[in-house]
Amino acid sequence: MRLESNFVQKQAQKQTMKLAMTQQLSQSIAMLQFTAADLTAFLEEKALENPLIEVTSGADVATDYSYKKRKNTAQAGNDFLEQVVSRSETLSEHLQDQIMLLDLSQTEKKIALYLIESLSPSGYLTIDLKTVAHNLKREETEIFQVLQVLQSLEPAGVAARNLQECILLQIDRSSDAPYIAYDLLDEYFEDFANKKWKNIAKAFDVELSDIQEVADYVRTLQPKPGFEFETETVQYVVPDLILQQEGRELIVSIAKNFLPQIRFQEQYYKQLNDNKEKEVSEFLKQKTGEYDWLKKGMEQREDTLERVGKAIVRHQQDHFTDSQNPLIPLTLKEIAEEIGVHESTVSRAVNGKYLETANGVFELKSFFSSALPKKNDDSEDAGGVSSTSIKEWINEYIEQEDKKKPLSDQKIVELLEGKNIEISRRAVAKYRLELSIPSSSKRKRFD
């Protein structure tokens, strides 16, 4: 009986320890995957459960950082004060205020309010008039009359049923529109959008440069009238790692000034520890253990992030030393093998984590890119070129092209061959679309 009792007790201890280790391992993995914001929320939740934990931060997280994607465009480079949402009024409220000032009957106001509530955040009407008439038990002509009133309100283009109507509503109010703009877009909208301009020029007996003038004007209009009323939470990018250059040496460190930290509440612990009751002692032991585990998890997270960051910088050293140098192909697997962890660990470490450099703040995963084949030209260098670098070259070529004679995809293939890059026309087209760049026929200007 005694042996059986000892065996059962040891088994229970073993199972309890195994369960605790599993929970700790699971939470350690989660902590590595957390973004800075997620980590802060997680630690604050733990602090609410554990009075011995205090969450601290070395700096104001609201500091503005310009997050640059791995493209030539940058995001969020404005002053912090300019990023604070200054408009709390919604599109619906803005339109309702205008409706109440008009001389409309109660029935017309009811219809107008129904239509307003049927608008998308972009300002388009998302329901057909027949359905509105059926739901409100009114005539369709009456609904249309109220819609016209709604379309006369600010912002211009609101309550349009499609993009063409949205643009026409704005042109109709503008005194700056080219004289042929309304009729042209009313009759030849699809041809205009698809840049089949020769037919349009012939129909209106005008030059292609006149149609180009219309195109330039249309670009000044707002395709989403409700855009300025959309309320989006401003997301601030907080760097997890900082890259500094001292001489020729690149140094990577954890951005502790901007990431949450935890502190042990020593004074509170001493106060409770003066109480000799067994339950209090057990409570303190449990909560101290939780703090120790959390502290260790934070240290492991920082260690993994730092090792991953340093490995990335080693591989992309030429790029970090001179941003004009392209990125080299790099995979998660290469970094994982180099620092001795599983590939999934590297994936968790780079996802949603950022590196602050002298040229801006970049997401860690932006430094990974697949390789494209590179012509050998009888040399021993058979290395690849990253797809990210290919996109940057394509973007650069198109930015510098003669807009009257834009580069075809085949011409870009030939330009890349001059850099010893072997790539198909289809691949160029694919990368161009990923960069949201239209085809050469749609980029052509007729000044």
Side-chain angles (χ1 to χ4, degrees), residues 84-336:
V84 177
V85 178
S86 59
R87 181 186 291 277
S88 58
E89 185 182 33
T90 65
L91 175 63
S92 176
E93 291 168 344
H94 184 66
L95 294 172
Q96 287 177 36
D97 289 344
Q98 295 176 74
I99 286 292
M100 294 308 162
L101 296 175
L102 300 178
D103 185 18
L104 300 175
S105 67
Q106 288 302 314
T107 298
E108 289 172 328
K109 286 182 179 179
K110 181 180 178 181
I111 294 172
L113 294 175
Y114 187 94
L115 292 174
I116 288 171
E117 293 307 314
S118 301
L119 298 179
S120 70
S122 298
Y124 285 85
L125 187 64
T126 58
I127 188 170
D128 64 89
L129 300 189
K130 187 175 182 179
T131 302
V132 176
H134 174 77
N135 292 345
L136 296 180
K137 296 180 172 56
R138 310 300 303 183
E139 294 295 325
E140 191 172 337
T141 54
E142 188 178 5
I143 304 300
F144 180 68
Q145 289 173 355
V146 176
L147 174 63
Q148 287 183 308
V149 173
L150 189 58
Q151 290 179 340
S152 70
L153 303 180
E154 292 293 337
V158 74
R161 288 162 289 182
N162 53 53
L163 178 60
Q164 181 181 14
E165 187 174 38
C166 178
I167 297 300
L168 289 174
L169 286 170
Q170 294 178 64
I171 293 175
D172 193 40
R173 287 201 217 174
S174 173
S175 59
D176 300 327
Y179 73 99
I180 61 170
Y182 190 95
D183 292 338
L184 188 156
L185 288 163
D186 185 36
E187 298 176 33
Y188 293 93
F189 185 79
E190 287 195 15
D191 283 350
F192 177 79
N194 292 321
K195 232 165 183 181
K196 297 178 180 179
W197 291 0
K198 290 185 179 179
N199 294 337
I200 301 174
K202 185 177 180 180
F204 281 87
D205 191 23
V206 295
E207 301 293 330
L208 289 174
S209 58
D210 294 319
I211 301 177
Q212 182 67 62
E213 183 184 356
V214 174
D216 292 340
Y217 167 76
V218 169
R219 288 192 186 94
T220 69
L221 303 181
Q222 175 54 269
K224 296 181 179 180
F227 178 77
E228 61 179 300
F229 295 90
E230 290 183 3
T231 53
E232 296 183 357
T233 304
V234 178
Q235 296 293 326
Y236 294 97
V237 173
V238 180
D240 299 85
L241 297 168
I242 295 176
L243 175 64
Q244 295 174 307
Q245 185 169 355
E246 295 184 4
R248 300 183 64 180
E249 186 180 3
L250 296 173
I251 300 173
V252 177
S253 59
I254 295 292
K256 290 192 176 182
N257 285 342
F258 304 104
L259 297 177
Q261 303 293 323
I262 59 172
R263 181 185 300 162
F264 188 72
Q265 295 277 49
E266 187 69 38
Q267 187 174 357
Y268 187 78
Y269 175 83
K270 289 179 179 178
Q271 289 176 353
L272 288 180
N273 199 37
D274 289 339
N275 190 315
K276 303 302 181 183
E277 293 183 13
K278 184 177 179 181
E279 291 182 358
V280 175
S281 297
E282 286 296 323
F283 174 82
L284 287 177
K285 183 178 179 181
Q286 178 190 348
K287 296 303 179 184
T288 301
E290 288 179 2
Y291 169 83
D292 290 338
W293 166 79
L294 203 58
K295 186 71 173 176
K296 184 177 180 181
M298 290 281 291
E299 291 170 352
Q300 288 178 339
R301 179 182 188 275
E302 291 179 359
D303 178 67
T304 303
L305 274 176
E306 191 171 13
R307 289 164 62 203
V308 168
K310 287 180 176 179
I312 291 173
V313 170
R314 277 196 298 272
H315 281 267
Q316 305 291 7
Q317 184 167 353
D318 289 345
H319 175 76
F320 287 116
T321 303
D322 182 354
S323 60
Q324 297 301 314
N325 292 325
L327 293 171
I328 65 169
L330 183 62
T331 64
L332 299 176
K333 185 177 180 181
E334 288 178 83
I335 297 297

